[in-house]
Amino acid sequence: LVSVLSSAIIVYRLPWTWNCSKLLMKFIHAGLNTIAMILAIVSMVAVFEYHNARNIPNMYSLHSWIGLTAVIFYSLQLFLGFAVFLLPFAPVPLRAALMPIHVYSGLTVFATVIATALMGITEKLIFSLKNPAYSASPPEATFVNCLGLLLVIFGALILWMASRSHWKRPPEENAKVLQPIGGTPEGTEAESTMTDGSNADKSDLRISSEAARKQNFKLDEAGQRSTM
């Protein structure tokens, strides 16, 4: 979840992907999330089978509670992302209303996964290190503590990239998605046929073109962008 989910979060934020089609990036985003969900389910099954084989109680620690909560909410996030943003059935107003929730919940799940990993490695150290004990700071404890610090730094970088506006896909790239194949940019053809018109007519045309362009941006942001 830490590695694959982080890749799914920032896949729209990588500059070298901005020239790719939005539909392709949506499928990559959904595919990475699906892979992360499958790996999470396999891992949970392995944990329960290991506990049962060793007669270890299940679901008693805070690590297990928060981990299971993260997986449940992530599965809901994945299902709603497919139903609303990937399939072409949801209306645009619904997508626009759910997009902020989708983004916020995705980042929250990722932060929860980081917290779960930190609690898990700490719990493992406490149970496994007996001689010398964890409190004696053996090399294993130092190594895993450094791993925990790296997880925190990595999670902070991913959240920073996902929350900065200059990492977003440029609006002009979004406008190209809605442009018909073989068509011209909004207002260009119309303006070329009105070169002999009055200044007032040209001004009205520019206003209409700008309004259409802004509407295209709004529809694309609501119906296409997803940072699941």
Side-chain angles (χ1 to χ4, degrees), residues 18-80:
W18 292 345
N19 292 327
C20 300
S21 68
K22 180 60 67 65
L23 184 61
L24 174 62
M25 299 312 302
K26 287 179 67 176
F27 278 111
I28 294 176
H29 177 75
L32 288 172
N33 279 284
T34 302
I35 293 173
M37 188 71 246
I38 294 174
L39 295 178
I41 294 175
V42 171
S43 301
M44 289 192 63
V45 172
V47 168
F48 278 100
E49 289 186 352
Y50 175 78
H51 281 197
N52 294 334
R54 299 291 296 271
N55 294 322
I56 300 175
N58 291 309
M59 301 302 300
Y60 68 92
S61 65
L62 183 61
H63 163 72
S64 61
W65 285 26
I66 295 182
L68 181 60
T69 302
V71 172
I72 292 175
F73 276 99
Y74 187 41
S75 62
L76 294 175
Q77 170 87 349
L78 187 61
F79 173 77
L80 292 177

Side-chain angles (χ1 to χ4, degrees), residues 1-11 32 36 74 110 154-155 158:
L1 281 177
V2 173
S3 58
V4 183
L5 177 55
S6 63
S7 301
I9 289 176
I10 65 171
V11 68
L32 288 172
Y74 187 41
F110 176 70
F154 177 76
I158 295 298

Side-chain angles (χ1 to χ4, degrees), residues 151-166:
L151 279 175
V152 173
I153 295 173
F154 177 76
L157 288 175
I158 295 298
L159 294 176
W160 183 83
M161 292 178 63
S163 60
R164 297 278 77 81
S165 59
H166 58 272

